[in-house]
Amino acid sequence: MTTTRALAADAPRTVRRLAVGVLAVELLALTTACGGSGDDDADGGASATAAARVPETAAPATDEATQETTDEPTPVETTESPELTAPTTVLAAGAVADGAPAVVSGSGPATVTYTRQGEIAVTAALDCSACTGEVVVSASDRGGDPWGEGPAPFSGTYLLDITTSTAADRDVWVVAEGPWTLTLASWNELPPLTGPQSGTGSAVLYLSEAGSGFDVSYTPGGEGDSVSIRAYSDVASTDSGPDSRLLGDTEAFTESVDLPLPGVVAITTNGSWTLTPRP
């Protein structure tokens, strides 16, 4: 690849659609990366959990208008998912640098540690095709929120470390049952792609053709699925337009994204998608 992508500290951004859950964390990460200003930094993008409400119970109909009822409101029972914590098994991947990926294999839950060499973003590709049960991918700086999750067999690629201020020592949590392989690499190692791209699940793509942007279509993978799309331009930032974008949704959609290409597009979802670069 002829282009080495730098991590911009103050890239402007435009927020299109924002979904729930992981999209709030994606917005927080992008706001931190870009200096945070405008509509998308009012509350840091953090998701809020509403308190359970106790509905009022109407009095039963009676012939006597003045008759009182002794019915009490019925409490609403709520359950919370257990907080995700770092797996106690630690596997060291070593250094990740341009031209020097790191590969770690494990079985069962594990925290994979690594060190970045240089100011690079890192792609994390998980192959959990031989796993069983539910699979979750997260990290210490995610606050217990997943990068991705879904039933095995499972696979996906995620874009990490998009800020220059991120500490060199990093980790990835793999919560799964059964054998898996995690490959960590510099985003400068992404293969150049041309023409329309389609797939299912999380992916990180390098659209290498020069252009004005791309069209994206998304279809949820099932109930509760959402998509987060982060795009970063390789073209030098100008006053004519932004060099990064964030969008997402919980429903199927088709949208045109204006962003100078070539650039990197990170898609986080269990659904299906198509990217079509525009001239």
Side-chain angles (χ1 to χ4, degrees):
M1 185 179 305
T2 58
T3 302
T4 298
R5 286 171 285 282
L7 294 170
D10 298 302
R13 55 263 155 246
T14 298
V15 178
R16 297 296 181 89
R17 310 160 184 242
L18 289 181
V20 296
V22 67
L23 296 187
V25 179
E26 296 293 310
L27 179 56
L28 177 61
L30 186 57
T31 303
T32 303
C34 301
S37 61
D39 295 340
D40 55 345
D41 66 355
D43 60 1
S47 62
T49 302
R53 300 180 182 274
V54 179
E56 296 181 357
T57 303
T62 67
D63 293 334
E64 298 293 332
T66 59
Q67 182 176 344
E68 295 182 357
T69 177
T70 58
D71 291 349
E72 295 292 335
T74 303
V76 177
E77 295 184 1
T78 60
T79 58
E80 295 184 358
S81 300
E83 182 179 353
L84 186 66
T85 58
T88 56
T89 299
V90 178
L91 302 176
V96 178
D98 286 340
V103 181
V104 172
S105 295
S107 183
T111 297
V112 178
T113 61
Y114 66 94
T115 300
R116 291 184 304 151
Q117 298 295 307
E119 293 183 346
I120 58 172
V122 173
T123 61
L126 176 65
D127 180 359
C128 211
S129 55
C131 295
T132 59
E134 192 76 7
V135 179
V136 180
V137 184
S138 189
S140 292
D141 62 354
R142 299 285 296 174
D145 290 303
W147 274 114
E149 59 184 333
F154 184 89
S155 63
T157 301
Y158 307 92
L159 183 62
L160 320 178
D161 304 321
I162 61 171
T163 65
T164 56
S165 60
T166 303
D169 296 329
R170 309 289 293 132
D171 66 23
V172 176
W173 302 353
V174 179
V175 183
E177 297 300 327
W180 48 265
T181 299
L182 183 71
T183 302
L184 302 166
S186 166
W187 68 342
N188 292 315
E189 305 304 314
L190 289 168
L193 302 173
T194 60
Q197 306 294 321
S198 297
T200 300
S202 298
V204 183
L205 311 174
Y206 177 49
L207 305 181
S208 62
E209 292 181 293
S212 61
F214 59 90
D215 298 328
V216 56
S217 296
Y218 160 71
T219 302
E223 184 178 356
D225 188 34
S226 63
V227 65
S228 170
I229 301 174
R230 294 174 294 156
Y232 304 91
S233 175
D234 270 355
V235 181
S237 177
T238 66
D239 293 336
S240 62
D243 56 12
S244 64
R245 295 279 185 165
L246 169 66
L247 64 151
D249 213 321
T250 57
E251 300 179 353
F253 72 92
T254 297
E255 188 163 337
S256 293
V257 179
D258 295 328
L259 183 77
L261 296 178
V264 173
V265 181
I267 306 168
T268 304
T269 185
N270 289 334
S272 57
W273 46 266
T274 297
L275 298 180
T276 304
R278 298 197 316 270

